[in-house]
Amino acid sequence: MTRKQQRLGLLGLGMAALAGATALVLSAFSSNLVFFYSPSDLKTQALASDRLMRIGGLVEKQSVSHSADGHTVSFRVTDGKTDVAVAYEGVLPDLFREGQGVVAEGRLGADGIFVASTVLAKHDERYMPPEVVDALKKSGHWQENGGDPGALAGRPPAQIP
């Protein structure tokens, strides 16, 4: 084998190793990706119940109920069209309230109840995840008052300094 053939062989071996490493990294990323769905998406798409996912929307008014032990909370998340029942065991964020934007991460049960492992409340009057804004716009519940979702909760728009 000539020197040129040896170099080409080593180059081919290196490229194969690089392609294998890239495939492993992409495989690891795809198994850890968590997608974001609105309640309407959950109702219209057939999703596996064991799949880790995120849902987002507004906490429906008068839907929050605490269990007797105080650790389990159930509430409904809505995008204006559809709502989804959510069960969560743990401490809710301080900003969690009815009518506020929320993102819950967990799994959809076979009974249609979303069992959340994490609940995130929006941290600013002007912030809402883009996916939730899009879902609210599609459902016709988004108000163009500076994009303040607080108006959906029956409060005055946030003051922007």
Side-chain angles (χ1 to χ4, degrees):
M1 193 180 279
T2 66
R3 256 177 113 74
K4 186 174 183 178
Q5 289 174 333
Q6 287 177 345
R7 276 190 251 138
L8 285 175
L10 285 175
L11 181 64
L13 186 61
M15 294 297 279
L18 184 61
T22 302
L24 288 175
V25 167
L26 290 176
S27 171
F29 277 139
S30 69
S31 65
N32 290 327
L33 285 179
V34 179
F35 295 101
F36 188 97
Y37 296 99
S38 71
S40 294
D41 292 339
L42 287 180
K43 297 291 182 185
T44 59
Q45 297 178 11
L47 301 170
S49 60
D50 63 338
R51 181 177 175 188
L52 184 66
M53 65 184 85
R54 288 183 183 160
I55 63 167
L58 299 175
V59 178
E60 194 173 84
K61 289 194 177 242
Q62 301 175 352
S63 71
V64 179
S65 66
H66 299 271
S67 67
D69 65 3
H71 293 293
T72 305
V73 179
S74 62
F75 56 94
R76 298 189 73 75
V77 174
T78 183
D79 61 2
K81 275 188 190 175
T82 309
D83 53 46
V84 172
V86 177
Y88 176 66
E89 187 173 330
V91 179
L92 289 169
D94 291 336
L95 295 176
F96 179 88
R97 288 188 292 281
E98 293 177 351
Q100 293 284 78
V102 68
V103 174
E105 184 176 339
R107 300 179 192 285
L108 184 63
D111 56 359
I113 296 175
F114 188 82
V115 180
S117 58
T118 306
V119 174
L120 306 170
K122 68 185 185 106
H123 59 79
D124 183 22
E125 289 297 318
R126 296 176 303 260
Y127 173 75
M128 186 174 285
E131 294 89 350
V132 175
V133 171
D134 292 342
L136 289 171
K137 283 182 180 179
K138 284 180 190 174
S139 70
H141 285 76
W142 181 257
Q143 297 179 6
E144 293 296 333
N145 60 349
D148 180 26
L152 292 172
R155 292 177 306 153
Q159 299 298 317
I160 301 174

